[in-house]
Amino acid sequence: MAAPTREKFDNIIEIKNVSKVFDGITVVDDVNLAVRRGEFVTLLGPSGCGKTTLLRMIAGFELPTKGSIFLEKQDVTTVPPHLRPINTVFQKYALFPHLNVFKNIAFGLKLKKIPTGEVDKKGKPIYRRFTKDEIREKVERVLKLVNLEAYGHRDVTGLSGGQQQRVAIARAIVCEPKVLLLDEPLGALDLKMRKEMQMELAAMHKDIGITFIFVTHDQEEALTMSDKIVVMTDGAVQQYGTPKKIYDEPANAFVADFIGESNILSGVMPKDFRVEFCGATFECLDKGFGKNERVDLVIRPEDIALDRKKGTLEGEVVSTVFKGTYYEMEILARDYQFTVQNTTEYKVGEKVWLSVLPDGIHIMKKLKVVNEFKGEVTGENTVYFCGGEFEFVNTFGLEKGEEVKVSIPFDKIELTDDEDDGVIGANVTQTFYKGSYYQVQIYTDDDNDFFIDTVDEWDIGDRVGIKIAPQDIAVSRVEKEDASGADGNAANAEKTAEGDGDE
């Protein structure tokens, strides 16, 4: 067998600093991404995270507000969709009901023009259309590829959902695009058919060999089919890597929570290879964190060992559910409720000891440790930030019109059911259960985000109001370095003094 060429492994798509803004709201935020030729890459994230918008910009249906998109090193940012060697399969199949399966698949081939290799008198390339025999050969080949060889004459309206999806995929690949984009193509199928199509799509990708970019919010779907996964939220890429890398080593709490089941806790790294949480010290495999740095950590339910006599943390079983091949138990230990998966059942009320090996603990840097924003003093005891005017204690004699830095600990913010009961309104975008409380991320109408620690559970999409007591808002003058480099989610938040509500 011939050695693979270097071209096979180069980047077919490069996305550089791409952002998209709709009506003042950033839906794709400075994304950089490279996709290798022949890979199956999945854009994964919750609804509204920007994955479909990013896919549409790759296809050419949307233009980036800023940034560039390259296909085989050529800038195609403003190239219209029909001039890109890219085809798209949508969740709605958009088949022609008046055409049979064969004619649906052949439709694009009948319109396509191909170069003859000759030029006219003016030196311009001469094009021709496919012959009937060429069209028949190509359609029959893809019908076989999608396991519909005997369905060419059938009416598409009489096909099942899975069969219609195969026809849509066949129609997209028959024109031999260099990239196939799939926007939640399995979303309309029932669970059994969806799982079958996952396997068929993965096998189809191997047979065809072209680059697939697949959009889904289904974690299992992404883990099952992909060579690489792009995890997105709030328009930004949180992590890009192989399914195993993302599952075993999530980059942050969002990825850990979104991919599979997780126990997410706050802890402290007193030194390399050592982490403290729930009042106990554990060995881990992580290093490179600052001394006594506050961190997030994730422990998968299957990585917790249980014993009736010995371990690191003592707990009590509060619930148990049989999941077929294992028991899933909730165990309360040191005010933290751990989710544990084990083939041995421990009864509700039973005392157990929990242990975790070093490779079962993954340490992550905190996204932020305090809410920090730019603001402006508007009165003797009022400051404007994030679209609203809040009262504060003016300890430093700040004057009206001064630009300031505003800091609020995670646990000093109150969310209200009625937006009008708060100073400003916001939408809940993420919520993480951290054992004894919830950490909620919200976005304000002026596109700033807050992290809030609360004992109340909120649903993604909830509209809430924000209230903060005056004594809990720390306001200070903006230093020169802050004025030149700080933003609403300042990277130097770790340097802010007391008040980390995430402990």
Side-chain angles (χ1 to χ4, degrees):
M1 185 174 70
T5 61
R6 178 171 183 155
E7 182 186 36
K8 179 177 175 61
F9 299 101
D10 67 3
N11 294 331
I12 189 169
I13 291 176
E14 292 179 88
I15 298 167
K16 298 183 177 181
N17 304 112
V18 165
S19 295
K20 181 66 178 179
V21 179
F22 288 113
D23 298 326
I25 302 298
T26 301
V27 294
V28 174
D29 189 5
D30 196 30
V31 167
N32 288 276
L33 194 65
V35 177
R36 289 187 178 275
R37 189 183 305 276
E39 282 187 325
F40 193 127
V41 174
T42 296
L43 306 181
L44 174 67
S47 297
C49 73
K51 56 188 185 294
T52 292
T53 301
L54 180 59
L55 193 83
R56 289 177 60 83
M57 288 191 286
I58 296 172
F61 300 130
E62 298 283 355
L63 292 178
T65 304
K66 70 172 185 177
S68 303
I69 298 173
F70 293 83
L71 178 65
E72 294 187 317
K73 312 300 182 186
Q74 299 297 313
D75 190 341
V76 296
T77 309
T78 58
V79 174
H82 69 279
L83 295 180
R84 302 188 189 195
I86 295 174
N87 273 352
T88 306
V89 177
F90 299 99
Q91 182 173 339
K92 295 182 178 179
Y93 314 131
L95 301 176
F96 300 114
H98 62 288
L99 300 179
N100 65 20
V101 170
F102 184 99
K103 290 180 179 178
N104 260 280
I105 297 172
F107 185 82
L109 291 174
K110 291 178 180 179
L111 299 178
K112 188 174 182 178
K113 294 180 180 180
I114 56 173
T116 62
E118 300 176 351
V119 295
D120 61 17
K121 294 179 180 179
K122 295 183 179 180
K124 294 183 178 180
I126 297 175
Y127 292 86
R128 69 174 180 87
R129 296 190 187 277
F130 285 115
T131 66
K132 288 185 178 180
D133 287 341
E134 287 173 327
I135 290 174
R136 183 181 301 106
E137 179 186 349
K138 289 179 178 294
V139 172
E140 288 177 351
R141 178 173 60 84
V142 297
L143 279 171
K144 184 176 182 180
L145 192 63
V146 298
N147 295 318
L148 292 175
E149 300 101 308
Y151 288 76
H153 66 286
R154 293 277 295 273
D155 186 341
V156 293
T157 58
L159 301 180
S160 69
Q163 289 167 336
Q164 289 185 23
Q165 188 59 276
R166 290 190 187 95
V167 175
I169 292 169
R171 186 176 62 181
I173 64 179
V174 74
C175 292
E176 300 174 349
K178 292 182 178 178
V179 179
L180 181 64
L181 307 179
L182 302 108
D183 187 8
E184 303 215 38
L186 311 184
L189 304 180
D190 62 51
L191 181 61
K192 185 175 184 295
M193 180 62 69
R194 189 176 183 127
K195 289 184 178 296
E196 290 176 0
M197 282 301 298
Q198 289 174 12
M199 297 297 100
E200 290 192 21
L201 262 181
M204 211 180 293
H205 170 255
K206 291 180 181 178
D207 290 340
I208 301 169
I210 65 174
T211 305
F212 277 26
I213 301 181
F214 185 90
V215 164
T216 185
H217 62 271
D218 188 308
Q219 302 95 317
E220 182 184 351
E221 205 162 79
L223 293 169
T224 299
M225 297 189 295
S226 313
D227 296 320
K228 299 278 184 62
I229 297 174
V230 182
V231 184
M232 296 183 65
T233 188
D234 301 327
V237 174
Q238 300 297 314
Q239 191 170 0
Y240 182 30
T242 64
K244 184 172 179 9
K245 180 80 171 178
I246 285 175
Y247 184 85
D248 289 342
E249 300 179 41
N252 54 46
F254 170 79
V255 177
D257 183 67
F258 195 73
I259 303 290
E261 293 191 63
S262 305
N263 296 288
I264 302 173
L265 304 93
S266 293
V268 175
M269 290 278 290
K271 61 180 182 179
D272 288 346
F273 310 116
R274 193 73 53 86
V275 62
E276 297 174 354
F277 60 91
C278 290
T281 300
F282 294 78
E283 293 183 2
C284 61
L285 302 181
D286 299 88
K287 62 179 182 178
F289 293 84
K291 182 177 175 61
N292 292 322
E293 181 174 347
R294 289 170 289 182
V295 295
D296 283 327
L297 59 107
V298 59
I299 305 171
R300 298 292 184 185
E302 66 270 22
D303 290 330
I304 299 176
L306 298 179
D307 192 277
R308 289 184 171 89
K309 296 181 179 179
K310 60 181 180 179
T312 308
L313 286 175
E314 186 179 18
E316 179 181 332
V317 179
V318 295
S319 72
T320 178
V321 178
F322 182 56
K323 293 280 189 172
T325 57
Y326 60 87
Y327 294 91
E328 184 167 285
M329 292 162 279
E330 297 297 321
I331 299 176
L332 186 64
R334 302 281 183 91
D335 296 326
Y336 185 95
Q337 189 164 304
F338 289 87
T339 300
V340 182
Q341 294 171 355
N342 201 295
T343 55
T344 300
E345 182 184 19
Y346 293 80
K347 302 296 183 181
V348 173
E350 191 172 353
K351 301 292 185 181
V352 294
W353 287 89
L354 291 74
S355 301
V356 189
L357 293 175
D359 63 358
I361 301 173
H362 177 65
I363 308 297
M364 306 168 294
K365 282 191 173 291
K366 286 185 176 292
L367 293 174
K368 60 162 80 172
V369 296
V370 69
N371 295 294
E372 189 170 271
F373 310 98
K374 284 183 178 180
E376 181 181 337
V377 177
T378 54
E380 183 179 352
N381 292 294
T382 55
V383 59
Y384 183 89
F385 64 96
C386 295
E389 190 174 67
F390 293 79
E391 293 184 2
F392 76 105
V393 179
N394 196 345
T395 307
F396 301 106
L398 300 167
E399 297 182 359
K400 183 177 179 179
E402 280 196 70
E403 185 178 343
V404 291
K405 180 168 66 177
V406 179
S407 302
I408 310 106
F410 293 173
D411 61 347
K412 300 300 183 182
I413 299 170
E414 180 185 350
L415 298 182
T416 63
D417 285 312
D418 188 340
E419 177 185 353
D420 293 335
D421 289 338
V423 177
I424 57 176
N427 294 306
V428 175
T429 57
Q430 297 299 333
T431 178
F432 310 114
Y433 180 59
K434 304 197 79 172
S436 56
Y437 63 94
Y438 294 90
Q439 188 168 95
V440 178
Q441 184 179 10
I442 61 173
Y443 264 89
T444 63
D445 294 337
D446 65 348
D447 212 19
N448 279 292
D449 68 320
F450 283 79
F451 279 65
I452 299 101
D453 288 348
T454 173
V455 295
D456 298 320
E457 184 176 4
W458 297 86
D459 294 327
I460 294 173
D462 280 350
R463 184 71 181 174
V464 296
I466 298 174
K467 292 172 66 176
I468 311 169
Q471 66 271 21
D472 294 325
I473 300 177
V475 180
S476 58
R477 288 186 175 87
V478 176
E479 300 174 4
K480 290 182 180 180
E481 59 189 60
D482 292 330
S484 62
D487 61 13
N489 299 311
N492 64 350
E494 294 89 344
K495 298 178 183 177
T496 303
E498 69 269 1
D500 178 15
D502 196 37
E503 297 284 39

